Amino acid sequence: MTQQDKNQQDKNQSSNLPTRKLGTQGLQAGAIGLGTMGMTMAYGAGDEPGGIATIRRAYDLGVTLFDTAELYGMGTGSNEQLLGRAVKDFRDDVVIATKFGFDMDAPQNAAGMALNSRPDHIREVTENSLRHLGTDHIDVLYQHRVDPDVPIEDVAGTIGELIAEGKVRYLGLSEAGPDILRRAHAVHPVSVLQTEYSVFERAVEAEVLPVVRELGIGFVPYSPLGRGFLTGAVKPAAEYPADDMRSWDDRWQPGNYEKNLAAIRELTALADAKGITVTQLALAWLLAQGDDIVPIPGTRSPQRLAENVAAAHVTLTPQDLARVQEILPRGAAGSRYPEAIMPSW
Ligand SMILES: NC(=O)c1ccc[n+]([C@@H]2O[C@H](COP(=O)([O-])OP(=O)(O)OC[C@H]3O[C@@H](n4cnc5c(N)ncnc54)[C@H](OP(=O)(O)O)[C@@H]3O)[C@@H](O)[C@H]2O)c1
């Protein structure tokens, strides 16, 4: 175990947040992590001071996995800089995960941001990320989206080289399917896969989670609160500003919205009966899906962060899990991405 791994474990033990292993290469983290995307984009105006206060509160509560990306600063580095500033005093006690994979200089088209996972670009983005984060190593470097123009063997090989050079510690993939996972893992062990997974979004259950388990890869569910729908703090799509993606998210559109809200009301009744919030129910449900799972809910609020972290101490009975399944047997009404940008496995 490296000194950094030991620091993280000590941090979790002193704060009472259980530690979970992610993959078989030694990566571990407190059972609930924190995503920083919403601190600079996606859900209306960002909130840098709120973000920094939330990251520091998270650390005090034993959170050690912090998730950012080049994309979250749209190439300016702003999200990584925010995270780097916030963890400056305890950087070696935490896991910093960031992602490459887009071409920030290319114009956005109907299929979203242009992809670029060419080895020279991975190296360039990694150097930028190190600089923006103010660190000499990235703990988990993820490919953000599979690039059909670059063989995954080249991507895994390049990250393997960065690991050998000490710039990166662990290889991660995001939105990769079974075939890509196997091919990457054959070149360099994949420590963690990050993909959307929640009570609302269940697609990974059929074919992805079995392969993750077979290969000994950890799993990080992103948008574990269904982009906030699973907190109950929602309003119809038309009431969000244009820079809030929920204004166009299918799950918020008329027809789907009402169905999903009805499900949230039933989940809230279950949560009330247990003396927890629906947000905690959603996170505890994910933690109950396997001890190889560390969700990364996003929030800009230290108070909401504390509510989310407390979900690690919630126990769901088989009856609770069966009731959740009864309420949402196949997940939410509506698609998680428009067809043009839906990742295909
Ligand atoms: N790999 C990928 O392609 C990918 C894609 C999307 C996201 N991610 C990662 O996953 C992280 C989390 O996903 P996400 O932020 O999209 O969605 P999420 O965690 O499912 O939901 C975030 C939303 O929930 C709200 N929220 C959080 N806790 C709450 C609480 N206790 N009560 C009420 N509202 C609460 C937040 O608002 P406030 O901020 O106002 O609290 C925010 O609007 C991101 O930050 C990012 O790191 C990765």
Side-chain angles (χ1 to χ4, degrees), residues 35-38 43 67 72 99 144-145 174 194 222-228 231 233 246 279 296-300 304 307-308 337:
T36 64
M37 180 178 75
Y43 306 123
D67 189 83
Y72 305 159
K99 317 181 194 77
H144 210 147
R145 285 288 179 277
S174 171
Q194 171 173 146
Y222 79 69
S223 302
L225 300 175
R227 301 197 182 265
T231 70
R246 292 168 294 194
T279 309
I296 48 166
T299 179
R300 298 162 286 197
R304 291 192 281 283
E307 176 190 340
N308 299 350
Y337 282 116

PDB file of all heavy atoms in Angstrom, residues 35-38 43 67 72 99 144-145 174 194 222-228 231 233 246 279 296-300 304 307-308 337, ligand 1:
ATOM      1  N   GLY A  35     -18.928  14.544  -7.227  1.00  0.00           N
ATOM      2  CA  GLY A  35     -18.720  15.045  -8.586  1.00  0.00           C
ATOM      3  C   GLY A  35     -18.768  16.563  -8.582  1.00  0.00           C
ATOM      4  O   GLY A  35     -19.632  17.163  -7.943  1.00  0.00           O
ATOM      5  N   THR A  36     -17.829  17.185  -9.323  1.00  0.00           N
ATOM      6  CA  THR A  36     -17.734  18.648  -9.274  1.00  0.00           C
ATOM      7  C   THR A  36     -18.310  19.333 -10.515  1.00  0.00           C
ATOM      8  O   THR A  36     -18.258  20.556 -10.621  1.00  0.00           O
ATOM      9  CB  THR A  36     -16.259  19.096  -9.116  1.00  0.00           C
ATOM     10  OG1 THR A  36     -15.529  18.701 -10.283  1.00  0.00           O
ATOM     11  CG2 THR A  36     -15.625  18.484  -7.878  1.00  0.00           C
ATOM     12  N   MET A  37     -18.885  18.570 -11.449  1.00  0.00           N
ATOM     13  CA  MET A  37     -19.331  19.155 -12.723  1.00  0.00           C
ATOM     14  C   MET A  37     -20.258  20.362 -12.524  1.00  0.00           C
ATOM     15  O   MET A  37     -20.060  21.423 -13.136  1.00  0.00           O
ATOM     16  CB  MET A  37     -20.047  18.080 -13.553  1.00  0.00           C
ATOM     17  CG  MET A  37     -20.563  18.568 -14.890  1.00  0.00           C
ATOM     18  SD  MET A  37     -21.338  17.260 -15.850  1.00  0.00           S
ATOM     19  CE  MET A  37     -22.897  17.082 -14.992  1.00  0.00           C
ATOM     20  N   GLY A  38     -21.260  20.211 -11.684  1.00  0.00           N
ATOM     21  CA  GLY A  38     -22.267  21.270 -11.504  1.00  0.00           C
ATOM     22  C   GLY A  38     -21.703  22.541 -10.884  1.00  0.00           C
ATOM     23  O   GLY A  38     -22.389  23.565 -10.848  1.00  0.00           O
ATOM     24  N   TYR A  43     -25.956  22.717 -14.758  1.00  0.00           N
ATOM     25  CA  TYR A  43     -27.208  22.956 -14.035  1.00  0.00           C
ATOM     26  C   TYR A  43     -27.379  24.438 -13.709  1.00  0.00           C
ATOM     27  O   TYR A  43     -27.505  24.838 -12.556  1.00  0.00           O
ATOM     28  CB  TYR A  43     -27.250  22.106 -12.762  1.00  0.00           C
ATOM     29  CG  TYR A  43     -27.020  20.635 -13.067  1.00  0.00           C
ATOM     30  CD1 TYR A  43     -25.998  19.915 -12.468  1.00  0.00           C
ATOM     31  CD2 TYR A  43     -27.830  19.977 -13.992  1.00  0.00           C
ATOM     32  CE1 TYR A  43     -25.787  18.582 -12.775  1.00  0.00           C
ATOM     33  CE2 TYR A  43     -27.628  18.644 -14.308  1.00  0.00           C
ATOM     34  CZ  TYR A  43     -26.604  17.951 -13.698  1.00  0.00           C
ATOM     35  OH  TYR A  43     -26.396  16.634 -14.007  1.00  0.00           O
ATOM     36  N   ASP A  67     -14.356  13.938  -8.457  1.00  0.00           N
ATOM     37  CA  ASP A  67     -14.454  13.675  -9.892  1.00  0.00           C
ATOM     38  C   ASP A  67     -14.609  14.954 -10.698  1.00  0.00           C
ATOM     39  O   ASP A  67     -15.575  15.697 -10.529  1.00  0.00           O
ATOM     40  CB  ASP A  67     -15.679  12.780 -10.140  1.00  0.00           C
ATOM     41  CG  ASP A  67     -15.734  12.286 -11.576  1.00  0.00           C
ATOM     42  OD1 ASP A  67     -15.058  11.286 -11.868  1.00  0.00           O
ATOM     43  OD2 ASP A  67     -16.433  12.903 -12.406  1.00  0.00           O
ATOM     44  N   TYR A  72     -15.503  19.848 -18.034  1.00  0.00           N
ATOM     45  CA  TYR A  72     -16.311  20.643 -17.101  1.00  0.00           C
ATOM     46  C   TYR A  72     -15.846  22.101 -17.013  1.00  0.00           C
ATOM     47  O   TYR A  72     -16.530  22.935 -16.422  1.00  0.00           O
ATOM     48  CB  TYR A  72     -16.343  20.007 -15.702  1.00  0.00           C
ATOM     49  CG  TYR A  72     -16.826  18.560 -15.699  1.00  0.00           C
ATOM     50  CD1 TYR A  72     -16.527  17.700 -14.652  1.00  0.00           C
ATOM     51  CD2 TYR A  72     -17.570  18.051 -16.765  1.00  0.00           C
ATOM     52  CE1 TYR A  72     -16.959  16.385 -14.653  1.00  0.00           C
ATOM     53  CE2 TYR A  72     -17.993  16.727 -16.782  1.00  0.00           C
ATOM     54  CZ  TYR A  72     -17.679  15.902 -15.731  1.00  0.00           C
ATOM     55  OH  TYR A  72     -18.099  14.592 -15.737  1.00  0.00           O
ATOM     56  N   LYS A  99     -10.769  13.548 -16.595  1.00  0.00           N
ATOM     57  CA  LYS A  99     -11.068  12.852 -17.858  1.00  0.00           C
ATOM     58  C   LYS A  99     -10.606  13.693 -19.050  1.00  0.00           C
ATOM     59  O   LYS A  99     -10.675  14.920 -19.003  1.00  0.00           O
ATOM     60  CB  LYS A  99     -12.577  12.618 -18.009  1.00  0.00           C
ATOM     61  CG  LYS A  99     -13.273  12.139 -16.750  1.00  0.00           C
ATOM     62  CD  LYS A  99     -14.749  11.894 -16.948  1.00  0.00           C
ATOM     63  CE  LYS A  99     -15.460  11.756 -15.628  1.00  0.00           C
ATOM     64  NZ  LYS A  99     -15.705  13.009 -14.911  1.00  0.00           N
ATOM     65  N   HIS A 144     -13.145   9.888 -21.398  1.00  0.00           N
ATOM     66  CA  HIS A 144     -14.515  10.357 -21.112  1.00  0.00           C
ATOM     67  C   HIS A 144     -15.546   9.652 -21.989  1.00  0.00           C
ATOM     68  O   HIS A 144     -16.635   9.299 -21.539  1.00  0.00           O
ATOM     69  CB  HIS A 144     -14.561  11.878 -21.331  1.00  0.00           C
ATOM     70  CG  HIS A 144     -15.560  12.591 -20.476  1.00  0.00           C
ATOM     71  ND1 HIS A 144     -15.359  13.864 -19.997  1.00  0.00           N
ATOM     72  CD2 HIS A 144     -16.777  12.235 -20.023  1.00  0.00           C
ATOM     73  CE1 HIS A 144     -16.413  14.236 -19.288  1.00  0.00           C
ATOM     74  NE2 HIS A 144     -17.284  13.276 -19.295  1.00  0.00           N
ATOM     75  N   ARG A 145     -15.201   9.497 -23.283  1.00  0.00           N
ATOM     76  CA  ARG A 145     -16.070   8.782 -24.218  1.00  0.00           C
ATOM     77  C   ARG A 145     -15.190   7.972 -25.154  1.00  0.00           C
ATOM     78  O   ARG A 145     -14.123   8.444 -25.569  1.00  0.00           O
ATOM     79  CB  ARG A 145     -16.895   9.760 -25.085  1.00  0.00           C
ATOM     80  CG  ARG A 145     -18.039  10.437 -24.385  1.00  0.00           C
ATOM     81  CD  ARG A 145     -19.202   9.481 -24.097  1.00  0.00           C
ATOM     82  NE  ARG A 145     -20.283  10.173 -23.394  1.00  0.00           N
ATOM     83  CZ  ARG A 145     -20.343  10.400 -22.080  1.00  0.00           C
ATOM     84  NH1 ARG A 145     -19.369   9.967 -21.290  1.00  0.00           N
ATOM     85  NH2 ARG A 145     -21.361  11.031 -21.540  1.00  0.00           N
ATOM     86  N   SER A 174     -15.030   5.595 -19.236  1.00  0.00           N
ATOM     87  CA  SER A 174     -16.383   6.096 -18.995  1.00  0.00           C
ATOM     88  C   SER A 174     -17.260   5.704 -20.178  1.00  0.00           C
ATOM     89  O   SER A 174     -16.842   5.886 -21.329  1.00  0.00           O
ATOM     90  CB  SER A 174     -16.329   7.623 -18.836  1.00  0.00           C
ATOM     91  OG  SER A 174     -17.615   8.178 -18.813  1.00  0.00           O
ATOM     92  N   GLN A 194     -16.795   4.271 -15.206  1.00  0.00           N
ATOM     93  CA  GLN A 194     -17.789   5.264 -14.764  1.00  0.00           C
ATOM     94  C   GLN A 194     -18.871   5.353 -15.833  1.00  0.00           C
ATOM     95  O   GLN A 194     -18.580   5.578 -17.007  1.00  0.00           O
ATOM     96  CB  GLN A 194     -17.094   6.619 -14.600  1.00  0.00           C
ATOM     97  CG  GLN A 194     -18.051   7.745 -14.353  1.00  0.00           C
ATOM     98  CD  GLN A 194     -17.401   9.076 -14.021  1.00  0.00           C
ATOM     99  OE1 GLN A 194     -17.916  10.118 -14.390  1.00  0.00           O
ATOM    100  NE2 GLN A 194     -16.284   9.071 -13.314  1.00  0.00           N
ATOM    101  N   TYR A 222     -22.260   7.541 -12.286  1.00  0.00           N
ATOM    102  CA  TYR A 222     -22.390   9.008 -12.351  1.00  0.00           C
ATOM    103  C   TYR A 222     -23.861   9.392 -12.447  1.00  0.00           C
ATOM    104  O   TYR A 222     -24.712   8.549 -12.727  1.00  0.00           O
ATOM    105  CB  TYR A 222     -21.519   9.596 -13.461  1.00  0.00           C
ATOM    106  CG  TYR A 222     -22.004   9.526 -14.896  1.00  0.00           C
ATOM    107  CD1 TYR A 222     -23.095  10.265 -15.348  1.00  0.00           C
ATOM    108  CD2 TYR A 222     -21.302   8.781 -15.838  1.00  0.00           C
ATOM    109  CE1 TYR A 222     -23.498  10.227 -16.680  1.00  0.00           C
ATOM    110  CE2 TYR A 222     -21.695   8.738 -17.163  1.00  0.00           C
ATOM    111  CZ  TYR A 222     -22.799   9.466 -17.583  1.00  0.00           C
ATOM    112  OH  TYR A 222     -23.191   9.432 -18.894  1.00  0.00           O
ATOM    113  N   SER A 223     -24.137  10.669 -12.193  1.00  0.00           N
ATOM    114  CA  SER A 223     -25.524  11.141 -12.071  1.00  0.00           C
ATOM    115  C   SER A 223     -26.352  10.159 -11.237  1.00  0.00           C
ATOM    116  O   SER A 223     -27.434   9.732 -11.661  1.00  0.00           O
ATOM    117  CB  SER A 223     -26.162  11.370 -13.451  1.00  0.00           C
ATOM    118  OG  SER A 223     -25.419  12.309 -14.194  1.00  0.00           O
ATOM    119  N   PRO A 224     -25.859   9.807 -10.038  1.00  0.00           N
ATOM    120  CA  PRO A 224     -26.555   8.790  -9.232  1.00  0.00           C
ATOM    121  C   PRO A 224     -27.891   9.281  -8.690  1.00  0.00           C
ATOM    122  O   PRO A 224     -28.689   8.482  -8.213  1.00  0.00           O
ATOM    123  CB  PRO A 224     -25.562   8.524  -8.084  1.00  0.00           C
ATOM    124  CG  PRO A 224     -24.796   9.800  -7.957  1.00  0.00           C
ATOM    125  CD  PRO A 224     -24.651  10.318  -9.362  1.00  0.00           C
ATOM    126  N   LEU A 225     -28.102  10.591  -8.770  1.00  0.00           N
ATOM    127  CA  LEU A 225     -29.389  11.161  -8.341  1.00  0.00           C
ATOM    128  C   LEU A 225     -30.239  11.520  -9.559  1.00  0.00           C
ATOM    129  O   LEU A 225     -31.128  12.376  -9.468  1.00  0.00           O
ATOM    130  CB  LEU A 225     -29.147  12.391  -7.456  1.00  0.00           C
ATOM    131  CG  LEU A 225     -28.345  12.084  -6.178  1.00  0.00           C
ATOM    132  CD1 LEU A 225     -28.029  13.360  -5.406  1.00  0.00           C
ATOM    133  CD2 LEU A 225     -29.097  11.101  -5.284  1.00  0.00           C
ATOM    134  N   GLY A 226     -29.956  10.888 -10.692  1.00  0.00           N
ATOM    135  CA  GLY A 226     -30.757  11.157 -11.885  1.00  0.00           C
ATOM    136  C   GLY A 226     -30.778  12.631 -12.238  1.00  0.00           C
ATOM    137  O   GLY A 226     -31.802  13.180 -12.600  1.00  0.00           O
ATOM    138  N   ARG A 227     -29.591  13.264 -12.132  1.00  0.00           N
ATOM    139  CA  ARG A 227     -29.387  14.695 -12.407  1.00  0.00           C
ATOM    140  C   ARG A 227     -30.281  15.559 -11.513  1.00  0.00           C
ATOM    141  O   ARG A 227     -30.678  16.661 -11.881  1.00  0.00           O
ATOM    142  CB  ARG A 227     -29.568  15.008 -13.891  1.00  0.00           C
ATOM    143  CG  ARG A 227     -28.588  14.216 -14.775  1.00  0.00           C
ATOM    144  CD  ARG A 227     -28.441  14.774 -16.139  1.00  0.00           C
ATOM    145  NE  ARG A 227     -27.543  13.997 -16.993  1.00  0.00           N
ATOM    146  CZ  ARG A 227     -26.247  14.249 -17.173  1.00  0.00           C
ATOM    147  NH1 ARG A 227     -25.682  15.264 -16.543  1.00  0.00           N
ATOM    148  NH2 ARG A 227     -25.521  13.509 -17.971  1.00  0.00           N
ATOM    149  N   GLY A 228     -30.594  15.017 -10.347  1.00  0.00           N
ATOM    150  CA  GLY A 228     -31.342  15.785  -9.343  1.00  0.00           C
ATOM    151  C   GLY A 228     -32.799  15.363  -9.239  1.00  0.00           C
ATOM    152  O   GLY A 228     -33.467  15.724  -8.273  1.00  0.00           O
ATOM    153  N   THR A 231     -33.950  13.601  -6.055  1.00  0.00           N
ATOM    154  CA  THR A 231     -33.987  14.354  -4.796  1.00  0.00           C
ATOM    155  C   THR A 231     -35.392  14.910  -4.545  1.00  0.00           C
ATOM    156  O   THR A 231     -35.684  15.385  -3.456  1.00  0.00           O
ATOM    157  CB  THR A 231     -33.017  15.551  -4.829  1.00  0.00           C
ATOM    158  OG1 THR A 231     -33.534  16.532  -5.750  1.00  0.00           O
ATOM    159  CG2 THR A 231     -31.633  15.135  -5.271  1.00  0.00           C
ATOM    160  N   ALA A 233     -36.382  17.619  -5.667  1.00  0.00           N
ATOM    161  CA  ALA A 233     -36.321  19.084  -5.829  1.00  0.00           C
ATOM    162  C   ALA A 233     -36.333  19.403  -7.324  1.00  0.00           C
ATOM    163  O   ALA A 233     -35.323  19.794  -7.899  1.00  0.00           O
ATOM    164  CB  ALA A 233     -35.055  19.621  -5.165  1.00  0.00           C
ATOM    165  N   ARG A 246     -31.485  20.373 -17.761  1.00  0.00           N
ATOM    166  CA  ARG A 246     -32.794  19.777 -17.491  1.00  0.00           C
ATOM    167  C   ARG A 246     -33.900  20.454 -18.286  1.00  0.00           C
ATOM    168  O   ARG A 246     -35.015  19.933 -18.376  1.00  0.00           O
ATOM    169  CB  ARG A 246     -33.054  19.799 -15.987  1.00  0.00           C
ATOM    170  CG  ARG A 246     -32.079  18.837 -15.302  1.00  0.00           C
ATOM    171  CD  ARG A 246     -32.033  18.983 -13.837  1.00  0.00           C
ATOM    172  NE  ARG A 246     -31.493  20.274 -13.400  1.00  0.00           N
ATOM    173  CZ  ARG A 246     -31.116  20.523 -12.169  1.00  0.00           C
ATOM    174  NH1 ARG A 246     -31.206  19.591 -11.247  1.00  0.00           N
ATOM    175  NH2 ARG A 246     -30.637  21.708 -11.838  1.00  0.00           N
ATOM    176  N   THR A 279     -33.350  11.227  -1.377  1.00  0.00           N
ATOM    177  CA  THR A 279     -31.974  11.286  -1.900  1.00  0.00           C
ATOM    178  C   THR A 279     -31.126  10.186  -1.265  1.00  0.00           C
ATOM    179  O   THR A 279     -30.366   9.486  -1.947  1.00  0.00           O
ATOM    180  CB  THR A 279     -31.363  12.669  -1.572  1.00  0.00           C
ATOM    181  OG1 THR A 279     -32.268  13.666  -2.014  1.00  0.00           O
ATOM    182  CG2 THR A 279     -30.027  12.857  -2.217  1.00  0.00           C
ATOM    183  N   ILE A 296     -20.929   9.038  -7.169  1.00  0.00           N
ATOM    184  CA  ILE A 296     -20.357  10.388  -7.063  1.00  0.00           C
ATOM    185  C   ILE A 296     -21.451  11.451  -7.246  1.00  0.00           C
ATOM    186  O   ILE A 296     -21.445  12.179  -8.244  1.00  0.00           O
ATOM    187  CB  ILE A 296     -19.210  10.593  -8.081  1.00  0.00           C
ATOM    188  CG1 ILE A 296     -19.617  10.113  -9.498  1.00  0.00           C
ATOM    189  CG2 ILE A 296     -17.939   9.919  -7.628  1.00  0.00           C
ATOM    190  CD1 ILE A 296     -18.662  10.589 -10.603  1.00  0.00           C
ATOM    191  N   PRO A 297     -22.380  11.559  -6.300  1.00  0.00           N
ATOM    192  CA  PRO A 297     -23.399  12.611  -6.437  1.00  0.00           C
ATOM    193  C   PRO A 297     -22.747  13.983  -6.529  1.00  0.00           C
ATOM    194  O   PRO A 297     -21.722  14.230  -5.899  1.00  0.00           O
ATOM    195  CB  PRO A 297     -24.227  12.474  -5.144  1.00  0.00           C
ATOM    196  CG  PRO A 297     -23.335  11.746  -4.179  1.00  0.00           C
ATOM    197  CD  PRO A 297     -22.465  10.859  -5.012  1.00  0.00           C
ATOM    198  N   GLY A 298     -23.365  14.863  -7.299  1.00  0.00           N
ATOM    199  CA  GLY A 298     -22.847  16.225  -7.426  1.00  0.00           C
ATOM    200  C   GLY A 298     -23.711  17.194  -6.637  1.00  0.00           C
ATOM    201  O   GLY A 298     -24.936  17.088  -6.653  1.00  0.00           O
ATOM    202  N   THR A 299     -23.078  18.114  -5.945  1.00  0.00           N
ATOM    203  CA  THR A 299     -23.819  19.191  -5.290  1.00  0.00           C
ATOM    204  C   THR A 299     -22.891  20.383  -5.078  1.00  0.00           C
ATOM    205  O   THR A 299     -21.671  20.217  -4.998  1.00  0.00           O
ATOM    206  CB  THR A 299     -24.444  18.760  -3.950  1.00  0.00           C
ATOM    207  OG1 THR A 299     -25.128  19.874  -3.379  1.00  0.00           O
ATOM    208  CG2 THR A 299     -23.410  18.253  -2.956  1.00  0.00           C
ATOM    209  N   ARG A 300     -23.510  21.577  -4.972  1.00  0.00           N
ATOM    210  CA  ARG A 300     -22.741  22.800  -4.684  1.00  0.00           C
ATOM    211  C   ARG A 300     -22.999  23.260  -3.272  1.00  0.00           C
ATOM    212  O   ARG A 300     -22.700  24.398  -2.923  1.00  0.00           O
ATOM    213  CB  ARG A 300     -23.161  23.895  -5.673  1.00  0.00           C
ATOM    214  CG  ARG A 300     -22.870  23.553  -7.115  1.00  0.00           C
ATOM    215  CD  ARG A 300     -23.660  24.393  -8.081  1.00  0.00           C
ATOM    216  NE  ARG A 300     -25.052  23.992  -8.107  1.00  0.00           N
ATOM    217  CZ  ARG A 300     -25.924  24.305  -9.063  1.00  0.00           C
ATOM    218  NH1 ARG A 300     -25.535  25.059 -10.064  1.00  0.00           N
ATOM    219  NH2 ARG A 300     -27.166  23.895  -9.003  1.00  0.00           N
ATOM    220  N   ARG A 304     -26.294  19.874   1.563  1.00  0.00           N
ATOM    221  CA  ARG A 304     -26.809  18.742   0.782  1.00  0.00           C
ATOM    222  C   ARG A 304     -25.751  17.643   0.685  1.00  0.00           C
ATOM    223  O   ARG A 304     -26.058  16.457   0.656  1.00  0.00           O
ATOM    224  CB  ARG A 304     -27.249  19.219  -0.614  1.00  0.00           C
ATOM    225  CG  ARG A 304     -28.494  20.113  -0.527  1.00  0.00           C
ATOM    226  CD  ARG A 304     -29.133  20.356  -1.869  1.00  0.00           C
ATOM    227  NE  ARG A 304     -28.473  21.348  -2.689  1.00  0.00           N
ATOM    228  CZ  ARG A 304     -28.561  22.679  -2.539  1.00  0.00           C
ATOM    229  NH1 ARG A 304     -29.289  23.182  -1.548  1.00  0.00           N
ATOM    230  NH2 ARG A 304     -27.933  23.506  -3.344  1.00  0.00           N
ATOM    231  N   GLU A 307     -26.034  15.538   3.737  1.00  0.00           N
ATOM    232  CA  GLU A 307     -27.196  14.642   3.609  1.00  0.00           C
ATOM    233  C   GLU A 307     -26.826  13.440   2.734  1.00  0.00           C
ATOM    234  O   GLU A 307     -27.142  12.293   3.061  1.00  0.00           O
ATOM    235  CB  GLU A 307     -28.365  15.413   2.973  1.00  0.00           C
ATOM    236  CG  GLU A 307     -29.589  14.560   2.705  1.00  0.00           C
ATOM    237  CD  GLU A 307     -30.638  15.279   1.848  1.00  0.00           C
ATOM    238  OE1 GLU A 307     -30.623  16.524   1.763  1.00  0.00           O
ATOM    239  OE2 GLU A 307     -31.474  14.562   1.259  1.00  0.00           O
ATOM    240  N   ASN A 308     -26.130  13.704   1.637  1.00  0.00           N
ATOM    241  CA  ASN A 308     -25.779  12.628   0.708  1.00  0.00           C
ATOM    242  C   ASN A 308     -24.804  11.633   1.341  1.00  0.00           C
ATOM    243  O   ASN A 308     -24.962  10.418   1.209  1.00  0.00           O
ATOM    244  CB  ASN A 308     -25.181  13.216  -0.578  1.00  0.00           C
ATOM    245  CG  ASN A 308     -26.161  14.135  -1.301  1.00  0.00           C
ATOM    246  OD1 ASN A 308     -27.331  14.196  -0.950  1.00  0.00           O
ATOM    247  ND2 ASN A 308     -25.677  14.847  -2.310  1.00  0.00           N
ATOM    248  N   TYR A 337     -30.080  10.654 -22.628  1.00  0.00           N
ATOM    249  CA  TYR A 337     -29.433  11.585 -23.556  1.00  0.00           C
ATOM    250  C   TYR A 337     -30.260  11.629 -24.836  1.00  0.00           C
ATOM    251  O   TYR A 337     -30.876  10.630 -25.213  1.00  0.00           O
ATOM    252  CB  TYR A 337     -28.023  11.116 -23.938  1.00  0.00           C
ATOM    253  CG  TYR A 337     -26.944  11.359 -22.896  1.00  0.00           C
ATOM    254  CD1 TYR A 337     -26.286  10.289 -22.301  1.00  0.00           C
ATOM    255  CD2 TYR A 337     -26.576  12.648 -22.533  1.00  0.00           C
ATOM    256  CE1 TYR A 337     -25.286  10.496 -21.358  1.00  0.00           C
ATOM    257  CE2 TYR A 337     -25.571  12.863 -21.594  1.00  0.00           C
ATOM    258  CZ  TYR A 337     -24.933  11.798 -21.006  1.00  0.00           C
ATOM    259  OH  TYR A 337     -23.948  12.007 -20.081  1.00  0.00           O
TER     260      TYR A 337
HETATM  261  N1  LIG B   1     -18.643  10.416 -17.180  1.00  0.00           N
HETATM  262  C1  LIG B   1     -19.626  11.177 -17.606  1.00  0.00           C
HETATM  263  O1  LIG B   1     -19.937  11.235 -18.804  1.00  0.00           O
HETATM  264  C2  LIG B   1     -20.411  12.001 -16.618  1.00  0.00           C
HETATM  265  C3  LIG B   1     -21.633  12.598 -16.996  1.00  0.00           C
HETATM  266  C4  LIG B   1     -22.329  13.332 -16.041  1.00  0.00           C
HETATM  267  C5  LIG B   1     -21.820  13.474 -14.747  1.00  0.00           C
HETATM  268  N2  LIG B   1     -20.626  12.906 -14.420  1.00  0.00           N
HETATM  269  C6  LIG B   1     -20.060  13.056 -13.061  1.00  0.00           C
HETATM  270  O2  LIG B   1     -21.026  12.642 -12.101  1.00  0.00           O
HETATM  271  C7  LIG B   1     -21.202  13.676 -11.138  1.00  0.00           C
HETATM  272  C8  LIG B   1     -22.615  13.644 -10.588  1.00  0.00           C
HETATM  273  O3  LIG B   1     -23.566  13.697 -11.624  1.00  0.00           O
HETATM  274  P1  LIG B   1     -24.543  14.931 -11.840  1.00  0.00           P
HETATM  275  O4  LIG B   1     -24.041  16.104 -11.104  1.00  0.00           O
HETATM  276  O5  LIG B   1     -24.765  15.000 -13.306  1.00  0.00           O
HETATM  277  O6  LIG B   1     -25.941  14.445 -11.277  1.00  0.00           O
HETATM  278  P2  LIG B   1     -26.504  13.974  -9.870  1.00  0.00           P
HETATM  279  O7  LIG B   1     -25.424  13.775  -8.903  1.00  0.00           O
HETATM  280  O8  LIG B   1     -27.401  12.830 -10.185  1.00  0.00           O
HETATM  281  O9  LIG B   1     -27.433  15.209  -9.469  1.00  0.00           O
HETATM  282  C9  LIG B   1     -26.907  16.494  -9.268  1.00  0.00           C
HETATM  283  C10 LIG B   1     -28.067  17.437  -8.998  1.00  0.00           C
HETATM  284  O10 LIG B   1     -28.710  17.055  -7.786  1.00  0.00           O
HETATM  285  C11 LIG B   1     -28.781  18.161  -6.886  1.00  0.00           C
HETATM  286  N3  LIG B   1     -28.587  17.610  -5.530  1.00  0.00           N
HETATM  287  C12 LIG B   1     -27.535  16.907  -5.074  1.00  0.00           C
HETATM  288  N4  LIG B   1     -27.732  16.521  -3.793  1.00  0.00           N
HETATM  289  C13 LIG B   1     -28.950  17.009  -3.434  1.00  0.00           C
HETATM  290  C14 LIG B   1     -29.719  16.940  -2.246  1.00  0.00           C
HETATM  291  N5  LIG B   1     -29.284  16.288  -1.166  1.00  0.00           N
HETATM  292  N6  LIG B   1     -30.928  17.565  -2.231  1.00  0.00           N
HETATM  293  C15 LIG B   1     -31.393  18.233  -3.317  1.00  0.00           C
HETATM  294  N7  LIG B   1     -30.710  18.330  -4.492  1.00  0.00           N
HETATM  295  C16 LIG B   1     -29.483  17.718  -4.536  1.00  0.00           C
HETATM  296  C17 LIG B   1     -27.679  19.095  -7.324  1.00  0.00           C
HETATM  297  O11 LIG B   1     -28.022  20.438  -7.056  1.00  0.00           O
HETATM  298  P3  LIG B   1     -27.119  21.390  -6.115  1.00  0.00           P
HETATM  299  O12 LIG B   1     -25.773  21.491  -6.758  1.00  0.00           O
HETATM  300  O13 LIG B   1     -27.863  22.675  -6.139  1.00  0.00           O
HETATM  301  O14 LIG B   1     -27.101  20.727  -4.789  1.00  0.00           O
HETATM  302  C18 LIG B   1     -27.637  18.868  -8.838  1.00  0.00           C
HETATM  303  O15 LIG B   1     -28.588  19.677  -9.476  1.00  0.00           O
HETATM  304  C19 LIG B   1     -20.845  14.948 -11.903  1.00  0.00           C
HETATM  305  O16 LIG B   1     -20.525  16.018 -11.036  1.00  0.00           O
HETATM  306  C20 LIG B   1     -19.674  14.484 -12.717  1.00  0.00           C
HETATM  307  O17 LIG B   1     -18.498  14.496 -11.926  1.00  0.00           O
HETATM  308  C21 LIG B   1     -19.926  12.164 -15.331  1.00  0.00           C
END
